[in-house]
Amino acid sequence: MLEEVERWLATRSWSVTDRPLHRILAAKQRTGQTISVVLPALNEEETVGDIVAVIRHDLVEQVPLVDEIVVVDSGSTDRTSEVAAAAGARVVHRDAILPRIPAVPGKGEVLWRSLLITSGDILCFIDADLKDFSSEFVSGIVGPLLTEPEVDLVKGMYDRPLGGAAGQGGRVTELMARPLLNMHWPQLAGFVQPLGGEYAARRSLLEQLPFPVGYGVELGMLVDALHLAGLDALAQVDVGVRKHRHQDGQALGRMAAAIYRTAQLRLARGHLVRPSLTQFERGEKGFEPRTHSVDAEERPPMAEIAEYAARRVA
């Protein structure tokens, strides 16, 4: 490991217990910064309501840390929107945001559009499929942004149990993202959960970053933030244990392909590869190929979007 990374681990890796809630709240009141929590959601009616309710109870009603909770529904066919709204979130459909640019499927697309309909100086992204959710996921990762003015982006780190076994989650991280980062961006080798969906960042950083529209958004954002802001502007906080719905092997394969594509674009802009992935499923006549396109599209920095600039002027 690079000496720079060892130093970074000693100075930019914290535990949620390092910043008690009263200290974080005092920093928010002192600096006047506002916080938006964004949950990208697609068919998450079983979990999204509980997450919203916990954040609202703990960090809005009991302690006034969070200023708004926004769920961006990316086309759910279940009761995600109704459940989220009943729990106290403002729900916005992806297609209603920036309608002049047709939306495409993907998590990164939703996160990118959320910049236009939120107002916080700090945005905190939380996946909507988490189980046994603790509000420390939010307070833990926004804390350094309130207390450390030189920090611009904070990732959550946690244990990810799989099938009752501790530390076995995050398969795409271990098989794809971590090797890529260690080989090509060794400064980022200290991140425990580089693909984790729980992270917070200053709007001033996010609006300058391009957003891969799909699964590559977390890796792309981390790499681009490193180049734009430097390693010392990035940090991570241990928030405990993350439980969520796990994907099957083929879905993980598609995720890995999108992440590799995101990395490849950053390694050699303009060098085209075949942006598709063929997988196999057993059918009546044996193994049958199924070819999927790999997310290759990226949205430009939000600061370049006319509607966003107009909103800021207003």
Side-chain angles (χ1 to χ4, degrees):
M1 182 178 292
L2 297 177
E3 289 186 9
E4 181 182 8
V5 176
E6 292 181 353
R7 179 193 54 77
W8 179 84
L9 283 169
T11 60
R12 288 290 184 267
S13 290
W14 295 295
S15 167
V16 67
T17 59
D18 291 333
R19 291 175 180 80
L21 195 53
H22 68 83
R23 179 186 168 197
I24 297 172
L25 183 61
K28 172 183 165 65
Q29 294 170 340
R30 183 176 64 253
T31 62
Q33 297 177 89
T34 54
I35 298 171
S36 300
V37 175
V38 174
L39 284 77
L42 177 63
N43 295 328
E44 303 294 358
E45 67 174 347
E46 294 184 4
T47 51
V48 67
D50 290 340
I51 297 171
V52 170
V54 168
I55 297 172
R56 184 165 187 81
H57 176 270
D58 293 358
L59 303 180
V60 177
E61 297 169 353
Q62 295 293 313
V63 175
L65 183 68
V66 170
D67 297 280
E68 64 176 346
I69 307 170
V70 180
V71 171
V72 184
D73 190 333
S74 57
S76 298
T77 56
D78 64 2
R79 297 182 61 254
T80 290
S81 291
E82 294 87 341
V83 170
R90 175 161 64 96
V91 179
V92 184
H93 195 281
R94 174 199 63 197
D95 296 347
I97 307 169
L98 201 61
R100 75 171 176 85
I101 300 178
V104 297
K107 179 183 179 182
E109 177 83 354
V110 172
L111 299 183
W112 181 72
R113 289 174 186 263
S114 75
L115 296 184
L116 197 59
I117 50 98
T118 52
S119 59
D121 302 305
I122 294 170
L123 276 76
C124 175
F125 299 124
I126 300 290
D127 281 350
D129 66 342
L130 303 188
K131 303 174 182 177
D132 301 329
F133 179 77
S134 167
S135 61
E136 289 187 341
F137 273 66
V138 175
S139 60
I141 58 181
V142 302
L145 294 166
L146 293 169
T147 63
E148 314 294 331
E150 66 276 15
V151 171
D152 289 334
L153 183 148
V154 181
K155 297 281 291 189
M157 57 176 167
Y158 28 66
D159 293 316
R160 298 183 66 179
L162 175 63
Q168 296 302 307
R171 291 162 287 174
V172 175
T173 293
E174 300 303 330
L175 297 175
M176 175 60 71
R178 199 176 308 286
L180 280 173
L181 292 175
N182 275 264
M183 287 186 291
H184 299 297
W185 296 281
Q187 287 177 294
L188 298 175
F191 277 94
V192 175
Q193 297 291 352
L195 300 185
E198 289 68 50
Y199 50 99
R202 300 189 193 281
R203 177 179 295 273
S204 57
L205 172 67
L206 293 172
E207 66 188 11
Q208 298 181 66
L209 300 179
F211 276 60
V213 299
Y215 285 127
V217 63
E218 273 83 27
L219 183 134
M221 187 179 296
L222 204 56
V223 169
D224 293 339
L226 172 68
H227 290 300
L228 187 64
L231 183 59
D232 281 341
L234 313 180
Q236 60 185 352
V237 172
D238 186 348
V239 292
V241 179
R242 184 185 195 269
K243 299 179 182 178
H244 67 115
R245 183 186 69 250
H246 291 283
Q247 304 274 11
D248 63 31
Q250 293 213 334
L252 294 178
R254 295 189 291 274
M255 188 183 301
I259 290 164
Y260 179 77
R261 173 61 170 163
T262 299
Q264 188 273 335
L265 284 172
R266 280 152 179 78
L267 288 168
R269 294 280 182 179
H271 175 65
L272 298 180
V273 296
R274 177 174 173 261
S276 60
L277 173 72
T278 299
Q279 298 175 315
F280 294 87
E281 297 178 7
R282 185 180 290 279
E284 295 181 359
K285 299 181 180 179
F287 286 101
E288 300 175 355
R290 300 283 188 272
T291 299
H292 306 270
S293 62
V294 173
D295 297 319
E297 187 172 356
E298 297 196 3
R299 295 304 190 188
M302 185 58 79
E304 298 178 6
I305 300 298
E307 290 88 339
Y308 186 78
R311 190 197 73 162
R312 298 195 68 179
V313 170

